[in-house]
Amino acid sequence: MAGRLVLVATPIGNLGDLSPRVAAALQEADFWIVEDSRVSGRLGVHLGVKKPMVVVNDHVRPGQIQAIVQRLESGECAALMSDGGAPCISDPGSLVVDAAAEAGIDIDAIPGPSAPITALMLSGFFAQRFAFLGFLGRKEGDMRKELKAFAESPLTLVLFESPFRIDTLLRAAGEALGPRRYAITRELTKMHQQVVRGVLPVSPPDGEMPRKGEFTVVFEGLRRADKRKTQDSAAENPFEAS
């Protein structure tokens, strides 16, 4: 009888966000599929559970994915998780899910913490429609090019960034998107959680926002009033707009 794959969303900082369903799934699984065994090992210590772990990260090979599927086909149950938050969102675990689905394995998901959704909530920006961009390119030109595609878009944008490149991101976003509002969320759900709001391309001073920790950034979509201003400016200054 075929096994089962359970996708579990784990805390992004605060272990108090661990749901009873997730705890039960982790305890019942025959093995865990993890992004980093050290991170997931600490979660196991918190639960008082020790399970065999299979690492699936950016360097995973097709043969390793197939080996996991074969274990599931033999009747084992696996819990798949990322280092924190919802698995398969900007995470290589999606390779396992895709292969398991193709093999006809029973797959379930237990919802829970998510950094992009939490950041959207805290931003206060209209999020009926939004786009999650994960990590952009590392160079400023690449960032600017990727964001330029949303220059006229009403979509609210959510993305991850390193604390070492946050100022570069804001500068590139200012050039690509214009004077949009932004919200930088830092260390979500942790002791030093912080939300800093501003307008592109101005960066918060170091004293207001330390450049350390995990960052999830939200850029407000182009609002109708802003779009009218852009169109009016183009009509008045056609050569400047071009």
Side-chain angles (χ1 to χ4, degrees):
M1 186 172 182
R4 190 162 179 256
L5 178 63
V6 183
L7 319 179
V8 296
T10 55
I12 56 178
N14 191 325
L15 291 174
D17 295 332
L18 186 71
S19 76
R21 282 188 68 199
V22 167
L26 293 177
Q27 291 168 343
E28 294 168 2
D30 295 306
F31 67 100
W32 294 352
I33 304 169
V34 304
E35 190 175 2
D36 187 325
S37 58
R38 296 166 297 182
V39 175
S40 298
R42 289 195 289 271
L43 182 60
V45 170
H46 174 74
L47 289 171
V49 177
K50 188 173 183 180
K51 296 284 183 174
M53 288 185 274
V54 176
V55 175
V56 172
N57 54 30
D58 292 328
H59 307 290
V60 68
R61 298 187 300 274
Q64 294 171 297
I65 299 294
Q66 189 55 41
I68 292 172
V69 173
Q70 289 174 351
R71 293 182 65 174
L72 296 173
E73 289 178 322
S74 71
E76 291 189 77
C77 176
L80 186 151
M81 69 189 96
S82 69
D83 285 347
C88 306
I89 307 301
S90 190
D91 169 65
S94 58
L95 298 172
V96 177
V97 179
D98 188 34
E102 289 292 327
I105 300 296
D106 181 26
I107 302 172
D108 194 9
I110 302 176
S114 166
I117 298 301
T118 304
L120 275 169
M121 292 163 58
L122 289 170
S123 74
F125 301 153
F126 189 66
Q128 182 174 345
R129 300 176 65 196
F130 66 91
F132 173 61
L133 306 183
F135 282 97
L136 299 182
R138 299 172 68 89
K139 297 182 179 180
E140 185 171 348
D142 294 332
M143 295 177 180
R144 189 164 51 246
K145 183 178 180 180
E146 291 183 63
L147 290 171
K148 191 68 176 178
F150 297 94
E152 299 297 322
S153 173
L155 295 178
T156 295
L157 307 177
V158 190
L159 52 99
F160 297 145
E161 191 49 270
S162 156
F164 308 108
R165 293 192 297 271
I166 189 68
D167 295 297
T168 302
L169 171 65
L170 294 180
R171 186 167 57 247
E175 294 176 6
L177 303 176
R180 303 277 187 90
R181 294 195 299 172
Y182 66 79
I184 299 174
T185 63
R186 188 177 72 87
E187 295 290 86
L188 285 172
T189 77
K190 300 178 183 177
M191 181 181 297
H192 300 292
Q193 174 177 293
Q194 183 181 29
V195 181
V196 179
R197 290 160 58 98
V199 178
L200 292 173
V202 180
S203 296
D206 290 347
E208 181 180 345
M209 185 188 74
R211 268 55 172 180
K212 58 183 178 181
E214 296 181 332
F215 286 73
T216 304
V217 184
V218 183
F219 294 124
E220 186 176 33
L222 184 66
R223 295 180 296 181
R224 292 180 181 176
D226 295 333
K227 192 169 186 177
R228 283 197 298 271
K229 289 178 184 178
T230 301
Q231 292 171 339
D232 292 344
S233 176
E236 295 172 6
N237 304 286
F239 296 104
E240 181 180 335
S242 62

